[in-house]
Amino acid sequence: MRARFHLPDFAGHFKLNLVFAEFLAQRPEYFREGVEIASVFGSFPPSLWNGGRAQCGICDKNFIRTVIRNFNERGIPLRFTFTNPMLEKKHLSDNFCNMVLHLADNGLNEVIVVSPLLEEYIRKNFPNYKITSSTCKRILNQEQLCAEVEKDYHIVVIDYDLNHDFDTLKKIPDKKKCELLVNASCNPECPVRKEHYDAIGMQQIAYANHMKKYSDVPFNIENFKKNHPEAVKFIDCPCGERTLFDVVKLKNHITPDEIWNTYIPMGFEQFKIEGRSSGTLNLIEHYMYYMIKPECKEQARLEFMKWLSENGVITINE
């Protein structure tokens, strides 16, 4: 039995995830059966190709090398969220994103894609990368989903509106190749999710281009909203503020018991925990909820937080 979890944000939550990987290695008795860290996903800002969630900041080459080395030495792939749906041909030559892929081009790391243009470019120029088909494609049709699974992808991330559509899930030809997003914070059956992804993509391009020219000047999100009024309601979507205790009330939510009692017996083994925009404490709760045995959760949380404190991730006054 394997429960392979994909964890959020190797850049913004670098130390948190690194300490958690060590916690899993040294305290396996706290964890549910078969838990593995399959990858840590995200992007190094200011990646113009990034999508799904806007990511700000600047990462220098030394930090990028440090993150790659620390996770890869533990056998954990980085999975780049290059899922910007608004990319044009001119964006393929972006120096920063190409530099990142060159640095991580060792056969272990992976890329998540939406744009056929970018997918073709990466397959041609970086053939060592395993390619994941993103949930951002919003494939809801059963035949289209099965066809996507049959394509040359390492993993296909299923749209989370299908999380409990067992008629569709049972017909998937290769379930081990599919990944389920267990804790989506977005509204179920949101009618404007594609428009939201498009708005985030526009914002990411604007941010990356700004940082290329004015790295010492903060990006003005209000100016971006003025220039892109069609994107305002998506950029300000409140769903990203939801905590674990809000997410569990949504119908797309998959519980830990469902993972082990329903989805794994069906043949699924890949599970994504979103949280690139989550605070540290909220993400800790997600990790405890999904991967720790219920009877060990309190003790594991306390010990893990002590580990985080010792590594400078959080501050605890005892």
Side-chain angles (χ1 to χ4, degrees):
M1 178 180 290
R2 305 174 79 190
R4 310 190 74 237
F5 284 91
H6 301 267
L7 308 184
D9 204 357
F10 52 68
H13 291 303
F14 168 50
K15 287 187 176 180
L16 169 65
N17 285 313
L18 202 61
V19 174
F20 190 73
E22 192 63 22
F23 193 65
L24 172 57
Q26 295 195 28
R27 294 290 185 271
E29 66 273 15
Y30 288 149
F31 286 79
R32 288 176 178 259
E33 183 181 359
V35 168
E36 302 174 11
I37 298 176
S39 76
V40 185
F41 61 88
S43 67
F44 293 107
S47 292
L48 185 149
W49 298 347
N50 174 66
R53 292 286 185 274
Q55 290 198 289
C56 300
I58 298 180
C59 295
D60 63 28
K61 191 176 288 189
N62 287 335
F63 177 71
I64 293 169
R65 287 194 177 107
T66 296
V67 173
I68 295 169
R69 183 182 69 254
N70 274 276
F71 284 112
N72 286 179
E73 284 179 348
R74 290 166 169 79
I76 299 172
L78 301 188
R79 201 156 58 136
F80 297 101
T81 52
F82 288 158
T83 56
N84 191 326
M86 306 304 290
L87 298 179
E88 302 174 34
K89 188 174 182 179
K90 64 182 179 181
H91 298 132
L92 300 179
S93 60
D94 180 79
N95 288 334
F96 184 82
C97 291
N98 278 277
M99 178 267 291
V100 167
L101 286 188
H102 278 294
L103 289 176
D105 191 5
N106 58 19
L108 178 62
N109 299 304
E110 309 172 9
V111 178
I112 313 174
V113 295
V114 166
S115 164
L117 192 67
L118 181 61
E119 178 181 340
E120 181 183 2
Y121 177 81
I122 292 174
R123 287 187 185 275
K124 179 181 178 180
N125 294 282
F126 299 95
N128 289 327
Y129 279 89
K130 299 178 179 71
I131 306 293
T132 290
S133 174
S134 174
T135 185
C136 297
K137 291 183 180 179
R138 295 240 61 207
I139 299 174
L140 295 169
N141 176 273
Q142 185 180 108
E143 290 185 3
Q144 290 178 349
L145 175 59
C146 291
E148 189 80 355
V149 174
E150 296 281 9
K151 293 178 183 177
D152 183 24
Y153 290 116
H154 175 57
I155 292 173
V156 173
V157 188
I158 297 173
D159 190 288
Y160 38 90
D161 279 333
L162 298 176
N163 277 358
H164 296 98
D165 181 352
F166 292 106
D167 287 340
T168 294
L169 296 181
K170 288 175 182 177
K171 288 184 170 64
I172 292 174
D174 187 354
K175 298 176 180 62
K176 284 183 169 56
K177 186 179 178 180
C178 295
E179 180 180 321
L180 294 161
L181 174 51
V182 296
N183 68 324
S185 62
C186 294
N187 290 330
E189 301 173 0
C190 175
V192 293
R193 191 181 303 158
K194 183 184 182 303
E195 288 83 355
H196 193 170
Y197 291 142
D198 290 349
I200 290 170
M202 288 188 287
Q203 180 186 352
Q204 194 69 39
I205 292 170
Y207 178 82
N209 286 332
H210 171 86
M211 299 310 291
K212 289 177 188 177
K213 297 179 180 179
Y214 312 107
S215 60
D216 57 342
V217 178
F219 177 69
N220 192 321
I221 186 65
E222 296 304 322
N223 282 344
F224 173 80
K225 291 177 183 178
K226 289 177 183 177
N227 294 328
H228 299 84
E230 74 282 8
V232 172
K233 65 179 179 179
F234 306 114
I235 298 300
D236 292 335
C237 176
C239 294
E241 302 299 319
R242 285 173 170 155
T243 68
L244 170 65
F245 306 102
D246 301 314
V247 167
V248 296
K249 300 173 185 176
L250 303 177
K251 71 176 184 179
N252 289 340
H253 159 247
I254 295 176
T255 70
D257 286 345
E258 286 176 325
I259 290 175
W260 271 268
N261 298 332
T262 302
Y263 293 94
I264 290 177
M266 285 178 65
F268 294 99
E269 62 178 29
Q270 313 270 0
F271 305 98
K272 176 182 177 181
I273 297 177
E274 75 169 35
R276 284 190 282 161
S277 57
S278 292
T280 298
L281 295 180
N282 186 31
L283 206 50
I284 291 170
E285 284 303 311
H286 276 88
Y287 288 5
M288 297 296 114
Y289 176 70
Y290 277 108
M291 290 177 278
I292 301 296
K293 295 173 182 175
E295 66 271 20
C296 298
K297 189 159 58 174
E298 303 304 323
Q299 183 176 349
R301 182 194 294 109
L302 178 60
E303 185 171 344
F304 181 53
M305 292 183 74
K306 286 182 177 179
W307 283 37
L308 292 175
S309 179
E310 291 166 0
N311 284 274
V313 181
I314 60 174
T315 301
I316 299 176
N317 295 317
E318 296 186 279

